[in-house]
Amino acid sequence: MSAHRRKTSHPARRPRRGPARRRPRRIARTLLATACALAVTAAAGAWYAYRDLAGSIGSSKALEGAEKSRYGDTNILLMGLDSRRDRNGEKLPEEVLDKLHAGSSDIGGYNANTLILLHVPGDGSRAKAFSVPRDDFVDIPSQGKDKIKKAYGLAKAKEEERLAGQGVTDRRRLEREGREAGRKAQIKTVRNFLGVPVDHFAELNLAGFYHLADALGGVPVCLKKPVRDTYSGADFPAGLQTLNGRQSLAFVRQRHGLDMGDLDRTKRQQAFLAGATQKLDSAGTFTDPVKLMKLIDATKQDVVTDEGWDLLSFVKQAKNLSGGKVVFTTLPVERFGRNHGEDINVVDDMKIKRLIAEQIGPGASASAAAPSPSDAPGAPPGPAAAAPAPTASGSPAIDGGGIPCVD
């Protein structure tokens, strides 16, 4: 009897471990699957939100059918308009103009006061940026020779006049089609002048510098000496410092009180770009979807890019352009001159085409090897040229933190 109890009672006392062990594993797998699903959902949500914001940035067909770079190289033209209006032609609010220290909405016109060609090699080597001084006296298609900055505004006014002659009165349409004509003319002028393709472009109005700097929480810059200029509102000590939106705009606009005037201002613009790119990287904006979307949302009203440009891919690429990894060059000026009462920069078109071709390499267009028929170095028409001015070339010195130090 006792033996029988031992045989039948033993299985009843045996622990049932199998299901108990499997239950935590099932819970862990469920939690892991849930976490993965949430991560995928969050990533998808961030992606669609990004696409929605990126889609709200102004888009242009100005590069439709244009020649492209070869060997995977990319040339990006950065155009900064000296306009006190938004991308739709509406006046900026007075309180914004006061912060910008920029005067009335009716001044500034549509001059492209910032022209920088950013060359990103397809082989991953160091990028190069070429600043085109705004007063370079060049051929403007269908306009003759004039300051390169005027190509945009002249073409815009001409197109609006043509449309008005056809009976178009819709102000928004006149503005939209006029600015498209301006973009095409400005890009074509730069392309002919430098002898290389333009693959993408970004147009930024005056308020764009302000909004970009504020969205980044300030942009680091470095000055060799203190400056004060009542025209631009620049008032900064020497050394490394971080500028807010209002200060950043004053920094990139200053030319009064600088030894080389406009040519020194191009170096300010280069320094601002270098500082902004470093701030993007150090703040983790490139890898943080939330920060990236906030940045895009803050600047979308100021920016227009070419249709089809994958900004997300470029943002990932732009991470490799920070920390002094871009070589900046201001294109050379032979001397200063005058044309119809205006100061101009006399330039040697052939020298500049050769310089660009040598710097960019085999990805450059074949047109870089020969000047256009109207390329002729020498004094422009009008009064005699002024005394020769120093050549403006090379990049600002880089301090230990990768921030260019400028005058």
Side-chain angles (χ1 to χ4, degrees), residues 143-194:
Q143 297 288 350
K145 297 203 77 167
D146 212 325
K147 296 181 181 182
I148 195 168
K149 70 178 182 181
K150 290 186 177 182
Y152 194 115
L154 289 173
K156 178 181 183 293
K158 187 175 182 179
E159 178 65 9
E160 289 177 356
E161 184 179 357
R162 184 188 72 81
L163 291 171
Q166 294 178 352
V168 177
T169 58
D170 182 356
R171 184 177 58 83
R172 287 238 170 187
R173 180 184 170 188
L174 290 171
E175 179 73 16
R176 182 178 65 254
E177 296 189 26
R179 292 185 75 158
E180 276 292 85
R183 291 170 190 128
K184 290 178 182 178
Q186 191 66 69
I187 293 168
K188 186 175 182 180
T189 301
V190 172
R191 186 171 59 224
N192 291 350
F193 181 48
L194 303 184

Side-chain angles (χ1 to χ4, degrees), residues 99-131:
K99 290 179 181 179
L100 301 184
H101 207 273
S104 167
S105 293
D106 297 321
I107 63 176
Y110 286 89
N111 289 332
N113 280 352
T114 302
L115 290 168
I116 298 176
L117 184 80
L118 176 63
H119 173 73
V120 184
D123 62 5
S125 58
R126 204 171 189 188
K128 299 179 177 69
F130 303 92
S131 287

Side-chain angles (χ1 to χ4, degrees), residues 14-24:
R14 185 181 298 165
R16 302 180 65 182
R17 296 177 181 174
R21 287 179 176 176
R22 286 196 296 271
R23 191 174 297 112

Side-chain angles (χ1 to χ4, degrees), residues 270-350:
Q270 295 167 2
F272 176 85
L273 286 175
T277 310
Q278 190 193 65
K279 184 64 178 287
L280 280 165
D281 191 17
S282 63
T285 308
F286 290 122
T287 55
D288 187 328
V290 175
K291 289 182 179 179
L292 182 58
M293 286 188 288
K294 285 182 178 178
L295 175 65
I296 293 173
D297 191 41
T299 58
K300 65 184 179 183
Q301 68 267 35
D302 309 310
V303 179
V304 175
T305 65
D306 56 286
E307 190 174 69
W309 188 9
D310 186 348
L311 290 176
L312 183 60
S313 295
F314 176 69
V315 165
K316 292 177 180 177
Q317 188 179 38
K319 187 179 188 302
N320 299 319
L321 306 180
S322 61
K325 296 175 185 175
V326 180
V327 179
F328 286 98
T329 300
T330 301
L331 296 180
V333 169
E334 299 302 305
R335 58 187 179 275
F336 297 145
R338 300 276 292 176
N339 180 65
H340 300 304
E342 292 185 330
D343 294 327
I344 61 169
N345 300 331
V346 181
V347 294
D348 185 333
D349 302 60
M350 290 183 286

Side-chain angles (χ1 to χ4, degrees), residues 198-248:
V198 173
D199 302 289
H200 298 294
F201 82 91
E203 172 190 306
L204 191 70
N205 67 21
L206 196 63
F209 291 97
Y210 172 86
H211 290 134
L212 175 61
D214 268 6
L216 289 173
V219 171
V221 301
C222 179
L223 284 168
K224 296 178 183 177
K225 56 187 178 183
V227 296
R228 186 171 186 180
D229 171 38
T230 57
Y231 292 96
S232 65
D235 186 4
F236 310 121
L240 186 65
Q241 54 205 287
T242 298
L243 306 184
N244 62 26
R246 180 185 59 79
Q247 294 169 326
S248 293

